[in-house]
Amino acid sequence: MHAPLSAAIAARLSRLTIELPSWGFADTGTRFGKFLQDAAALTLDDKLDDAAEVHRLTGACPSVAIHVLWDMPPGGALELAALAHARGLRIGSINPTLFQDQCYKHGSVANEDQSVRRRAIEHILASVEIGRAVGSDVLVLWFADGTNYPGQGSVVRRKRWFADALREVHTAMPPSMRMLIEYKPFEPAFYHTDIADWGMAYVLAKAAGDRARVLVDTGHHLPGQNIEQIVSFLADEQMLGGFHFNDRHYADDDLTMGSVDPYRVFRIFLAICEAERELGRDMPIEFMIDQSHNLKPKVEAMVQTVMTAQEYFAKAMLVDLTELNAARAANDIVAAEECLKRAFATDVRTALATWRVSRGLPADPLAAHRTSGYVASAAAARLPRKKSSGGSYA
Ligand code: PSV
Ligand code: MN
């Protein structure tokens, strides 16, 4: 497509903001080990620097999600907000960290031990206060709670503990805050996860209160799941809270969005476009990335992700919904499918480059990043700190 984007598509794309995960810039690995990168972030400052670089290149990422126990500076929430603001960013979703402390070995809010359940709830309530202090209206809840063996826990009792905990947290949230509840079928638990799918997240969100919604992490589905159907269904129920974008081949692989199945990204965005067409305005949902790249350079992978999101959102907006609905009404399956395939096959990259330049951004953010020298200078600044902080870095 060498014609420029239509004004409507350009305007909607300009409003498509995508939140970056602080944890996506640090070294990560698998349970078999971690391969370190010279330029990977060590500190909160490094992570925010990297996020600011992605925003500078794409103009689309003004906010950063934080994980409470990983990202809190000594000066607390106010310092956190100030560090973000100093870089032209803001703190986005607040993610309590309810899975790494030893006390959570047998779960957090679904732990058999009442004192652990209390501790978990207090941590979430503290996270709500952090959100209030930094001006964030989004609380994202992911729980690792589950069991590894049949018979290990009472599904019903645990469900009730969840409902009680979420209701208590919801009551404590400021009126502007939304609670987004994530689901995941397995990992780290291998037999049952307490919030295993969108239906369970939906029920618990309804039980929590009117500002609770479901968060769709695209990596949190069993193979073959029709994610776009879930998206349309939740959107129609006004229960879609937002996304954690990533891609996967086998499990929760945290691969780059669209790297394995770009047509799925397109179909998910089409579900959003259809919902927005009916609503007559942008969906009030959060678009967030949840990826931690073990092998790819971190900033580069994030820039690639944002460009991918823009590309497939633009393609989805090219679907002629009037024509599509006419084909559906006529039971013309081939014509309906062709509406999707035509839009998906349209190359929008030149049009996107022109649109970026019109916004004062690099035509090709990935190329701009590669020639900027950012990675080399980040490595030069961080490598000595890495060497002195951890003997294992070589
Ligand atoms: C869990 O797999 C998850 O998707 C949750 O969103 C966490 O917050 C994130 O990954 C980081 O570990
Ligand atoms: Mn997630």
Side-chain angles (χ1 to χ4, degrees), residues 174-234:
S176 57
M177 191 175 278
R178 276 159 299 140
M179 172 191 285
L180 309 189
I181 304 173
E182 206 169 337
Y183 56 89
K184 184 171 180 175
F186 79 98
E187 201 215 12
F190 293 125
Y191 171 63
H192 111 283
T193 295
D194 286 287
I195 312 181
D197 64 24
W198 70 274
M200 297 180 205
Y202 176 98
V203 167
L204 288 169
K206 282 285 184 194
D210 60 1
R211 283 168 289 121
R213 300 279 183 277
V214 178
L215 173 67
V216 176
D217 181 315
T218 46
H220 291 189
H221 301 89
L222 295 173
Q225 178 82 56
N226 183 337
I227 301 176
E228 60 270 25
Q229 179 185 9
I230 297 171
V231 171
S232 291
F233 203 100
L234 288 172

Side-chain angles (χ1 to χ4, degrees), residues 23 67 95 140 142 182-184 215-220 243-246 252 254 289-291:
W23 55 93
H67 244 290
N95 295 251
V140 168
W142 175 68
E182 206 169 337
Y183 56 89
K184 184 171 180 175
L215 173 67
V216 176
D217 181 315
T218 46
H220 291 189
F243 293 95
H244 269 178
F245 284 126
N246 50 55
D252 184 21
D254 270 347
I289 297 171
D290 182 3
Q291 296 170 175

